[in-house]
């Protein structure tokens, strides 16, 4: 069981960190809740101005444990917009082994051109029906400074896209070392984004 952590921004502008549960978060007048388990502040939910909260599924990465806590709390208090609860359930299913279409690769940036995506890729892997754990075990992301990860449920109701960076939340010394040591040296440290990818491979899938 991973030690899940949260931070809260309140409606009056105060900030609370190192919170252990969603329930504890709502001891405050919540404007936004962040998951901070891996060292980054990943926006989890935010006040939508209509007495409920939206799930930030497009831009954040989270633990199963955090999302399940959110489900449990919402069952009792109905705080999350209904459609967003469906997205949370889908995200949990994917992290617990639901097969979907996944593409992973090393992004190569090029100049922005109107109407054109800003990122192309090399050395990518696409599987139209696989699990997160399987594709991550087959793709050696640790050798790259950044990767993209695209996830789409087979019925087209859920799609998510990430750019994940090796150095995210590393200290200055480790970042300097990574830039000095070229190539695929396994000694190169990595930060929060890649730790989340490691975490995904530790999840036990239910039969």
């Amino acid at each position: 069981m991973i030690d899940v952590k949260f931070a809260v921004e309140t409606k009056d502008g105060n900030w609370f960190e190192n919170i252990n549960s969603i329930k504890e978060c709502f001891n405050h007048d919540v404007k936004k809740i962040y998951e901070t388990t891996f060292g980054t502040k990943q926006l989890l939910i935010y006040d939508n101005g209509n007495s409920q909260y939206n799930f930030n599924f497009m831009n954040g990465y989270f633990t199963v444990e955090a999302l399940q806590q959110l489900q449990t709390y919402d069952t009792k208090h109905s705080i999350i917009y209904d459609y967003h609860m469906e997205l949370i359930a889908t995200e949990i299913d994917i992290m617990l082994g639901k097969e979907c279409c996944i593409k992973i690769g090393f992004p190569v940036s090029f100049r922005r051109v109107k109407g054109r995506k800003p990122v192309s890729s090399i050395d990518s892997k696409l599987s139209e029906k696989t699990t997160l754990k399987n594709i991550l075990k087959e793709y050696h992301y640790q050798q790259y400074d950044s990767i993209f990860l695209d996830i789409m449920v087979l019925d087209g109701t859920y799609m998510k896209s990430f750019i994940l960076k090796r150095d995210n939340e590393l200290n200055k010394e480790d970042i300097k070392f990574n830039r000095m040591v070229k190539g695929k040296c396994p000694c190169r440290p990595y930060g929060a984004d890649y730790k989340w990818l490691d975490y995904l491979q530790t999840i036990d899938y239910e039969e």
Side-chain angles (χ1 to χ4, degrees):
M1 180 71 71
I2 192 168
D3 185 19
V4 181
K5 294 292 182 182
F6 302 95
V8 168
E9 180 185 346
T10 64
K11 293 178 182 178
D12 58 3
N14 289 319
W15 185 262
F16 298 91
E17 298 189 49
N18 202 32
I19 300 173
N20 296 311
S21 70
I22 290 293
K23 183 178 180 180
E24 288 180 45
C25 289
F26 280 98
N27 289 336
H28 307 284
D29 189 14
V30 170
K31 179 181 179 181
K32 297 177 181 178
I33 295 178
Y34 297 80
E35 184 176 4
T36 58
T37 303
F38 300 102
T40 59
K41 293 181 177 70
Q42 297 290 319
L43 177 61
L44 180 59
I45 60 171
Y46 56 94
D47 182 7
N48 65 12
N50 294 310
S51 302
Q52 284 190 309
Y53 294 85
N54 288 352
F55 170 50
N56 180 43
F57 84 99
M58 286 297 294
N59 301 312
Y61 59 77
F62 314 104
T63 60
V64 170
E65 292 83 357
L67 297 178
Q68 288 175 334
Q69 284 191 36
L70 203 53
Q71 274 187 325
T72 300
Y73 193 86
D74 184 76
T75 299
K76 296 180 180 179
H77 302 280
S78 299
I79 58 160
I80 307 294
Y81 178 53
D82 287 347
Y83 171 63
H84 286 225
M85 282 308 301
E86 294 175 14
L87 293 172
I88 289 171
T90 300
E91 189 144 324
I92 290 172
D93 287 345
I94 290 170
M95 294 172 74
L96 291 177
K98 179 183 177 72
E99 290 186 329
C100 50
C101 178
I102 304 176
K103 185 176 182 180
I104 188 171
F106 172 64
V108 181
S109 297
F110 52 76
R111 190 170 49 134
R112 283 184 178 271
V113 178
K114 187 174 181 180
R116 189 179 182 190
K117 290 184 178 180
V119 174
S120 64
S121 65
I122 59 173
D123 196 20
S124 63
K125 181 177 180 61
L126 170 66
S127 180
E128 295 185 355
K129 192 175 182 181
T130 189
T131 65
L132 276 171
K133 185 183 290 188
N134 284 345
I135 202 163
L136 289 172
K137 284 184 175 179
E138 295 169 1
Y139 191 85
H140 301 293
Y141 55 86
Q142 297 92 341
Q143 65 185 290
Y144 297 114
D145 290 332
S146 62
I147 64 162
F148 69 84
L149 181 64
D150 297 337
I151 306 168
M152 184 175 71
V153 171
L154 301 179
D155 63 8
T157 58
Y158 174 100
M159 183 171 65
K160 194 164 186 172
S161 183
F162 301 95
I163 295 290
L164 301 166
K165 297 181 179 180
R166 181 189 192 94
D167 289 349
N168 197 5
E169 292 301 311
L170 281 181
N171 60 46
K172 291 181 180 179
E173 290 75 17
D174 285 338
I175 292 173
K176 183 177 179 180
F177 178 79
N178 277 346
R179 292 174 180 173
M180 181 177 63
V181 180
K182 303 292 185 180
K184 304 176 182 180
C185 175
C187 62
R188 297 171 71 211
Y190 52 75
D193 292 3
Y194 282 24
K195 288 178 182 177
W196 176 71
L197 295 175
D198 286 352
Y199 157 79
L200 291 175
Q201 295 175 75
T202 69
I203 298 171
D204 291 328
Y205 289 171
E206 297 177 0
E207 296 297 332

